[in-house]
Amino acid sequence: MRKLVLNGASALAMLSILASPVAAQSANEIVWGDLLPAALDNHVALDQPSQMVMLNVYDGLFRYIGNPPDLQPWLVEDYTGSEDGLTWEFTLKPDVKFHDGSVMTAEDVVYSFHRVLGLNKGAAGTFTPILKPENITAVDDLTVRFVLDSAYAPFLAALPLVSIVNKDLVQEHEKDGDWGAEWLASHSAGSGAYTIDPDTYRPQENLTFIRFEDHFFGWDDNPDPIEVVRAQPIQETTTRVMALMSGDIHATDSYLPTDQVRRVSSTEGVHLAQDESMRVMFLRMNNSKPPFDNINFRKCVSHAMNYEGFITGILEDYAVRNPGPIPRNLWGSPDDLVGYTYDIDLAQEYCDKAREEGAPVDREIEIYTQAQLEQTNQVAQVLQAELRKVGVTMKVIPANFFNLVAMMGTAESSPDMWVHWVSTYFVDPENWIGQTYDSAFQGSWRGSSWYTNPQLDEMLRSARVELDQDKRREVYEEASRIVVDEAVDVWVYNTVQLRGLSDQIEGYKFSPIGSGADFRYLSLKN
């Protein structure tokens, strides 16, 4: 372990790390210092931290591989779809084993989708408009049939959202019709490359992954895989990077601010993984709350954001300006979309118009950030300083992401503004614009702008059932222009993911889905 010279505060922080069970305990273990989900049930949660569990502990019918992400059959050996897009049959690979040794059958797949729809959380909103539980059936032990209510163009693209669980194991732990949710929140029932140790699990503090030797994919592509991964986040960014530099962890999160990027890049024994992703930073505006219900005020905020100052001055161009909600490197994002530019004089004009129209521009605006992610604080502070120039007072409030999500149930409880990213859960414009601005998704963090436009709703819903991608592209491009013209939110950049890694790590493979937290490819240098 290399020696570091620390100041008093840093020394105390590092002592607290070393006193905790962070460091790897054997030669073939690593410590992954990324954020953890609030609970382990992938059928309940749909957020970036949950993807780590989804990728490693569970398998899905399909899986995204590489960057740009390529959708590939995973548990599926063969499949067919009807010309009208309504009927799909999937043949499973034989002899796929769950972690308890039982063999996966079509009944497990049926139960998994029934469970998602029954819980009506997580990925359920993607499937409930087009799929009823009774229309998901097992044809035989290895064949599953889906009959959709209507064509759904992103159907295959969205299938990786549903982790396949061990039906018998989950049902064994059901209580009062809860679909086993209480038990699965702290246990696993998967077939993935890693299982978990429930005895050491502590929500958002510690999660231990143990390699599953009998994973159906085999290990021929990685003859020396990591046996144990201890996922243990460190709350403070500087301390997290310090732990990487001292060798106490092998990976940081993928949201590093630029000052920490410089530290990692200039330190021997560690390096920076730098990958363009499909993760768009959104500054959400609650369109139902005055003054945000006034379009001129929203345009004031949009022009007050110093995009170049933030991306170039603070992020040092480790990001790409993204003027709308769809990542610029995905079809459906208009090539000619300019979006809003920083123009403080124009911002002042729009603020004055909003004030003349009676909007309460002079009240203090609150913007919530994610306390653990320094970039969210930085971008809020940039906007705060610029809005002050046009007479708008903004208060920055750091909060826990999961507490923020809990606020989004109603328009009244949702904050004025908050900062987050829309990550890649599945690769289709529906993942970004469709599930963010269709009013049917209001009441979730995805629909937290509380923007309602019947014309846009109709467009987004028509795009879901249109099987011709060229026609869908036209709809999404026009929908993007509408939400930008309406200044529904502030879209800042498409992410260049920045994750600190130990030089001991080999085999790191990045994909926008999971942001590189796929452990089955990793090994340690001898």
Side-chain angles (χ1 to χ4, degrees), residues 241-304:
V241 171
M242 222 184 300
L244 175 73
M245 293 162 60
S246 66
D248 287 304
I249 67 174
H250 295 83
T252 69
D253 63 279
S254 58
Y255 298 86
L256 292 182
T258 308
D259 60 329
Q260 302 304 322
V261 167
R262 288 194 295 267
R263 294 180 70 199
V264 171
S265 300
S266 62
T267 300
E268 181 184 355
V270 300
H271 64 278
L272 187 71
Q274 180 176 329
D275 301 278
E276 183 172 358
S277 187
M278 293 177 174
R279 181 197 285 165
V280 180
M281 176 180 264
F282 281 55
L283 310 188
R284 305 304 291 272
M285 293 188 281
N286 188 336
N287 285 223
S288 71
K289 278 188 178 180
F292 294 95
D293 59 348
N294 183 290
I295 188 173
N296 286 317
F297 182 73
R298 298 197 302 270
K299 288 186 176 183
C300 166
V301 175
S302 299
H303 280 296

Side-chain angles (χ1 to χ4, degrees), residues 367-440:
I367 183 168
Y368 281 74
T369 64
Q370 298 182 50
Q372 293 172 288
L373 301 174
E374 183 58 28
Q375 276 194 33
T376 66
N377 298 313
Q378 290 172 327
V379 73
Q381 289 163 3
V382 168
L383 182 59
Q384 178 188 49
E386 297 298 338
L387 283 175
R388 192 178 298 124
K389 297 176 183 177
V390 297
V392 175
T393 303
M394 173 176 280
K395 181 180 181 181
V396 179
I397 305 175
N400 178 285
F401 174 75
F402 303 104
N403 293 336
L404 278 168
V405 169
M407 297 171 65
M408 307 300 169
T410 68
E412 292 74 23
S413 61
S414 297
D416 294 332
M417 296 187 70
W418 74 293
V419 186
H420 72 98
W421 292 262
V422 175
S423 298
T424 316
Y425 301 107
F426 61 99
V427 185
D428 189 278
E430 167 74 0
N431 179 79
W432 286 272
I433 192 170
Q435 296 191 2
T436 305
Y437 298 115
D438 182 339
S439 62

Side-chain angles (χ1 to χ4, degrees), residues 496-517:
V496 175
Q497 180 192 267
L498 304 166
R499 186 191 294 277
L501 290 172
S502 166
D503 286 351
Q504 293 180 295
I505 294 287
E506 292 186 310
Y508 177 78
K509 293 185 179 182
F510 176 80
S511 177
I513 291 81
S515 299

Side-chain angles (χ1 to χ4, degrees), residues 117-158:
L117 296 173
L119 287 168
N120 198 27
K121 297 180 179 178
T126 301
F127 297 101
T128 49
I130 48 92
L131 187 59
K132 292 183 175 64
E134 60 267 27
N135 292 330
I136 312 165
T137 57
V139 178
D140 55 42
D141 283 351
L142 292 177
T143 307
V144 185
R145 177 180 295 146
F146 294 78
V147 180
L148 310 187
D149 294 343
S150 61
Y152 184 58
F155 181 61
L156 290 182

Side-chain angles (χ1 to χ4, degrees), residues 102-120:
S102 60
V103 176
M104 181 184 296
T105 72
E107 291 291 349
D108 296 298
V109 176
V110 171
Y111 175 79
S112 297
F113 278 85
H114 283 185
R115 187 173 187 271
V116 167
L117 296 173
L119 287 168
N120 198 27

